[in-house]
Structures are given as C-alpha cells and as structure tokens.
Amino acid sequence: MERHRTDLLVLGAGVAGVYAALAAEERGARVLLVSKDPFPAGSTPWAQGGVAFPVGEEDLEAHLRDTLVAGRGLVEEGVARSILEEAPRHLERLRAFGLPFHPEPTREGGHSRARVFHLGGDRSGFLLLEGLLKRLSIPVVPAQALSLLASGNRVAGALLWGPEGLWEVRAGAVLLATGGFGRLFPVTTNPQGATGDGMALAWRAGAGLRDLEFVQFHPTALPNGALVSEACRGEGALLLNAQGERFMPRYDPLAELAPRDVVARAVFREREGTGGVYLDLRPIPHLEERFPTVVAQARALGLDPLRAPLPVAPAAHYAMGGVRTDAFGYTGIPGLYAAGEVASTGFHGANRLASNSLLEGLVVGWRAALRALEDLAFPRGGPRGLAGDAAGAPQPHGPPGLPAVPRRGVFRVAYRAGSGALRCRLAQRSMAWTTSSSSSPAGVRL
C-alpha cells in the first residue's frame, strides 16, 4: 500500500476545496488536493449564476436581511453577518487573481437588489474554478476517500482508493469539501459525484450532522434535469401555467424573483392544477449571448427558447444541511474541517438565498484552511498528527466497507411542519418528470 504525508489533505476540488488549498499553499503548507471526479469536478462548474457579494458597506444589512428571510428563521445570524462582512475582501482577491467578473452585478431571486457578480455570461462556476486552479502549483490527485484515519482523538489522514489502488495519507488535518447528496434524487441539477460521501466520512469519525431534511428544489429545470438559471428570471423571463397565465404575482409580491422555496412550491402547484408550467425566455434581450448554456441545453432537447416557452419543473438542487461546523469550518473533531455544501455552518438556514453558496464556499474554505494550519501549530487534541510525526500508525474510523458507530455522533433533525411533506411530494412527482429514473440528467447549478 502506497503511503503519503502532507500537512493538509483536502478532499474535493470544487470552489471550497481549491480555494482552501490556495490559502494553505500561500502560507507554505504542504497540501494534497484530492478529487474522485475528473475536472471539472464537483458542483461548482455547473453554476450558471455567479457569486453574491454585498455591494459596498451600505448593502451589508440588506444582504443579511435577504439571507435571513430566505432561510425561514433558521439562519444563524452571527454566522451570516461574519461571512458577509468578510465577502468583499474575497471579491478583491479574486479580481487581483485576474478573474474577469462583469462590472455590473445582476439581481436574482430573493435578492432586494442586484448584487450577483457573473463571469462569462452563464459559465460563472466553470470560469471561477478554472481561474483558481490556474493559481495552484499542485495537481489535483484522482482518488476517492474510503475512510478517515485517527491518531489519538484527532483525525490524522485518510485511506484513499486511486488508479494505483489503496494508499494511506497521513495529514496534520483533513478538510472535507466533497459537496452534497443531490444524486440521491431521481431528477437533480447535481453532478454524478454528489452522493454525500463526505457527510458519511465525518459521521463515522464522530462529527455531527444536522438539517439533512432541508433540500432545496430549484424551480426551473428542464425535463432532463438541466437547470435554467434563476438569472434568467432576473433578466425578465416569465413563468406561465398551461393556460398561458403568468401566475407568480398571485403567490408573492416579488413574483418570479421570490425566494426559491416560494417559486418551487408555486410551480409545483400550478403543474398539479393546470397540467404544466413553462418559462418564457423571449423577454430577455440578446438571449443567446447572455445565456448561451441555457439555449444550447434547450436545443439539445429539441426545444427553441427563441420561439416558445420551455417546459420546466422543480428538481433537487442543494442541501442546506450537512456536517455541523462553526463559522470557520471546524467540526468539533480535532483535525477535521468541512466547507462548502458538505458543511452546515448555519448560513443558509432552511432555504439558501440564490448565489450565496459560492460565497460561503469561498469564505469558509479560506477560513477553514487557515484554522487548520493554526491547529497544526497549536493542536486541539493530541497526538498532534503532524505529517512525519512519531505518534504511531493512525487507525481508520470504521474499516472501508463495514458499518461503524460514531464515537460522538450527533444526528439532529430540525423538522418544520409541512416542509418535509412537500419535499417528499416534489421528489415523487419528479420521478414522473424524467423519461427514465436511471438516466444521467445533465445540468448546471446556480
């Protein structure tokens, strides 16, 4: 079995993982960045929408208020405030990296003003990830984590399975950035790799999971699960029922720009009541130039958004719950951190505000890397588990392939009346929306 030593092991090569690796590398740490999927990896490249940044200090309170409203009373306000206060520094850093954000932000659902910054039209996630990877001096290693390793009461590495077989990585700290679990649903905007691996690894290591029932359904997916960006509605696209009626003003004063949970429920009910829902993109000027990915995906299905509205339905999109962490990605298990969709910081509450996910991945990914490096110098639990130490061979948290009971597992479900029932019905209806539940829907996410 091959063996490797590093300071920080990052599992997952989406925005949170790559940005964390950059932060650690800038500080001279040895970093191993691992992805089970080839580039473009994770959900980040599927993001048609951009990154939501407060537009100046005067917008901070409004952005926070929009986040709290979208989260339906379950957002941890202190966490949200700290992330939003730090956000502008990351926008400045990304621009200094040479990432070509459009100078004018756009408005998306749930936002009270335009504050979502895009790259390359509707290819924001792909271009963001590509730009970050170009800054890294290390390669992305193809491998899948089978189990985390323990040394004393610390997480001290992982067992990986790669092209050459099994190998052991001893690390001072491990950062999970493995994404969500959207592929558990028959119709989803998520990539093939979104199967909840990181959450399972953390739970077996004793970390807590919370709010797993809060799964956001994106309201406008095509029949194969491909997403039609919320930015389309921000630019003027309208939702129509099977009778040709624009219905969203009946459900919310913000109409098509209401938060996603409101729009998804409305689309679901109108499909049930009238037999179908359609998104009319024709009001958008220069549609092919502004949203080339959306147009191409529709035409691949034999649909032409320049001539007729597109049939849409809700699809599983984003997991608000995950590995419970603080605002710096710490799980409570010494040596173990998490950032991005795999984690639950409390930033999103019960429902994520559009384009806040990439922002959280950036801010918490950076923070988690720095906190992990601090942990190497001033360890929370012994033995330190530093790469190259003499603490003895680490032990796996549950051998690969065998179930394991976590040492300090906490599984919290903050159920809210009606939310789970509606999500179950959305999931059941989505099975009828796809031509085959075993197909591999292609999609992008916001």
Side-chain angles (χ1 to χ4, degrees):
M1 178 170 61
E2 184 179 348
R3 288 176 170 81
H4 188 88
R5 298 178 186 273
T6 190
D7 295 320
L8 179 63
L9 170 62
V10 180
L11 301 178
V15 65
V18 174
Y19 202 51
L22 268 173
E25 193 177 57
E26 281 188 8
R27 281 150 182 80
R30 292 177 295 172
V31 184
L32 184 65
L33 179 60
V34 172
S35 174
K36 72 174 185 179
D37 300 313
F39 180 80
S43 298
T44 300
W46 297 37
Q48 290 180 2
V51 189
F53 291 102
V55 184
E57 291 185 10
E58 69 280 3
D59 186 40
L60 175 62
E61 293 301 323
H63 194 165
L64 176 61
R65 183 169 57 251
D66 292 345
T67 299
L68 296 174
V69 169
R72 302 302 177 217
L74 293 181
V75 173
E76 295 187 19
E77 184 171 350
V79 171
R81 181 179 293 277
S82 74
I83 290 173
L84 295 177
E85 286 177 343
E86 188 175 321
R89 297 201 294 274
H90 293 278
L91 178 57
E92 292 175 7
R93 181 180 288 112
L94 294 173
R95 282 175 166 162
F97 286 171
L99 291 174
F101 283 97
H102 194 278
E104 295 299 324
T106 62
R107 184 182 175 192
E108 295 181 359
H111 290 273
S112 56
R113 62 168 295 173
R115 62 168 71 94
V116 179
F117 289 83
H118 287 248
L119 295 131
D122 58 2
R123 301 179 67 226
S124 297
F126 180 89
L127 294 177
L128 173 61
L129 186 60
E130 183 181 57
L132 294 178
L133 284 168
K134 287 179 179 178
R135 302 282 304 187
L136 272 178
S137 65
I138 59 172
V140 178
V141 177
Q144 180 164 0
L146 303 179
S147 180
L148 298 178
L149 300 175
S151 180
N153 70 339
R154 291 182 60 87
V155 167
L159 289 177
L160 306 180
W161 183 265
E164 305 301 322
L166 188 68
W167 54 306
E168 176 188 284
V169 176
R170 298 194 64 187
V174 175
L175 172 58
L176 300 173
T178 51
F181 52 80
R183 293 300 299 188
L184 300 182
F185 291 83
V187 177
T188 176
T189 64
N190 284 217
Q192 291 284 349
T195 50
D197 306 18
M199 297 178 196
L201 290 170
W203 184 75
R204 293 173 70 185
L209 305 180
R210 68 172 177 180
D211 296 344
L212 300 185
E213 80 281 19
F214 291 135
V215 177
Q216 184 177 78
F217 280 73
H218 198 287
T220 54
L222 296 175
N224 67 340
L227 183 148
V228 180
S229 172
E230 192 159 32
C232 292
R233 284 176 277 131
E235 296 293 323
L238 301 176
L239 283 164
L240 311 173
N241 61 24
Q243 298 169 353
E245 174 198 7
R246 183 189 177 200
F247 58 85
M248 276 309 304
R250 289 194 278 109
Y251 289 90
D252 193 279
L254 292 174
E256 280 80 4
L257 290 179
R260 284 179 181 165
D261 61 331
V262 174
V263 181
R265 285 194 296 268
V267 170
F268 172 76
R269 288 167 181 155
E270 293 294 321
R271 291 186 76 243
E272 292 274 288
T274 71
V277 166
Y278 302 84
L279 184 65
D280 191 353
L281 302 177
R282 291 173 295 181
I284 301 175
H286 311 294
L287 176 61
E288 290 183 276
E289 177 182 337
R290 180 65 183 84
F291 297 103
T293 303
V294 171
V295 172
Q297 289 175 335
R299 286 176 173 165
L301 296 174
L303 305 170
D304 188 349
L306 298 177
R307 303 176 70 89
L310 301 176
V312 293
H317 184 59
Y318 190 88
M320 273 68 67
V323 182
R324 184 170 190 165
T325 75
D326 63 15
F328 295 84
Y330 180 53
T331 66
I333 305 297
L336 183 62
Y337 298 81
E341 191 175 355
V342 69
S344 174
T345 63
F347 182 43
H348 303 305
N351 179 58
R352 175 173 67 82
L353 182 65
S355 292
N356 265 358
S357 56
L358 290 180
L359 173 62
E360 183 193 39
L362 289 165
V363 175
V364 180
W366 190 271
R367 287 177 171 183
L370 300 189
R371 186 58 57 90
L373 297 186
E374 291 177 10
D375 194 8
L376 300 187
F378 305 100
R380 298 172 184 265
R384 181 178 297 184
L386 286 169
D389 68 12
Q395 300 300 315
H397 282 300
L402 296 177
V405 178
R407 292 176 287 114
R408 295 185 295 278
V410 177
F411 188 95
R412 185 175 76 84
V413 176
Y415 190 85
R416 292 296 179 270
S419 63
L422 176 61
R423 287 183 172 94
C424 288
R425 292 172 66 200
L426 284 168
Q428 290 166 358
R429 290 295 188 272
S430 74
M431 295 184 71
W433 176 238
T434 181
T435 56
S436 170
S437 62
S438 61
S439 63
S440 300
V444 287
R445 61 192 303 159
L446 179 59

